[in-house]
Amino acid sequence: MATMRISGDAVAFEFTGLDRLWLGRRALTVPLRSVRRVAYVERSLRLAAGARRGLVVTGIAKIGVWGLFGGPRQLVYARRGMPGLHLRLDRSTVDGALDEVVFATPDAARLAAAVQRHITRTLDRA
């Protein structure tokens, strides 16, 4: 199972088991300064679009990287019935040149609010 945590000035995602195989990585750290927008989504499965490298079990799960040949490049970890977090990123500052992260977690609403608070504080200081 994948986990997400906010620590200091970054959002850290950790992937285990077969998720690592489909995503092609064990972890992803996104500096909070790279997050341009954050949103809570009820149905994270619907956000993945474009050509992909990863796993699709129709209506159940999408795990991998989408947008390989155009459109936004998305790291997707989405599961049926689980809300998610949708992060839009500054591609130039993120490992793997990602435009978006879609991450399903039961705690998505709280995590989205926490990321938004950090973005707001950062903008207020600027």
Side-chain angles (χ1 to χ4, degrees):
M1 176 161 194
T3 59
M4 175 192 161
R5 63 183 162 69
I6 301 169
S7 62
D9 60 351
V11 180
F13 300 91
E14 293 184 28
F15 308 103
T16 59
L18 289 176
D19 296 338
R20 289 190 317 201
L21 173 69
W22 301 118
L23 290 162
R25 62 177 62 227
R26 167 176 277 153
L28 172 67
T29 300
V30 175
L32 282 165
R33 72 182 189 296
S34 300
V35 178
R36 297 297 171 243
R37 267 192 285 173
V38 60
Y40 167 82
V41 292
E42 283 289 328
R43 297 181 178 173
S44 56
L45 279 174
R46 294 184 176 190
L47 294 177
R52 70 179 183 278
R53 180 193 75 228
L55 170 74
V56 173
V57 180
T58 304
I60 305 292
K62 293 181 180 178
I63 303 170
V65 178
W66 267 249
L68 296 179
F69 302 117
R73 189 170 181 106
Q74 302 170 304
L75 182 132
V76 177
Y77 179 82
R79 298 185 179 275
R80 176 179 63 191
M82 193 177 296
L85 187 71
H86 184 198
L87 301 176
R88 294 191 185 192
L89 311 171
D90 175 354
R91 178 183 199 143
S92 66
T93 61
V94 178
D95 176 38
L98 296 167
D99 297 301
E100 301 179 4
V101 173
V102 177
F103 187 80
T105 177
D107 207 14
R110 184 187 67 78
L111 291 169
V115 172
Q116 184 61 51
R117 277 192 306 274
H118 180 81
I119 292 170
T120 303
R121 275 197 314 264
T122 302
L123 291 174
D124 288 345
R125 283 187 230 150

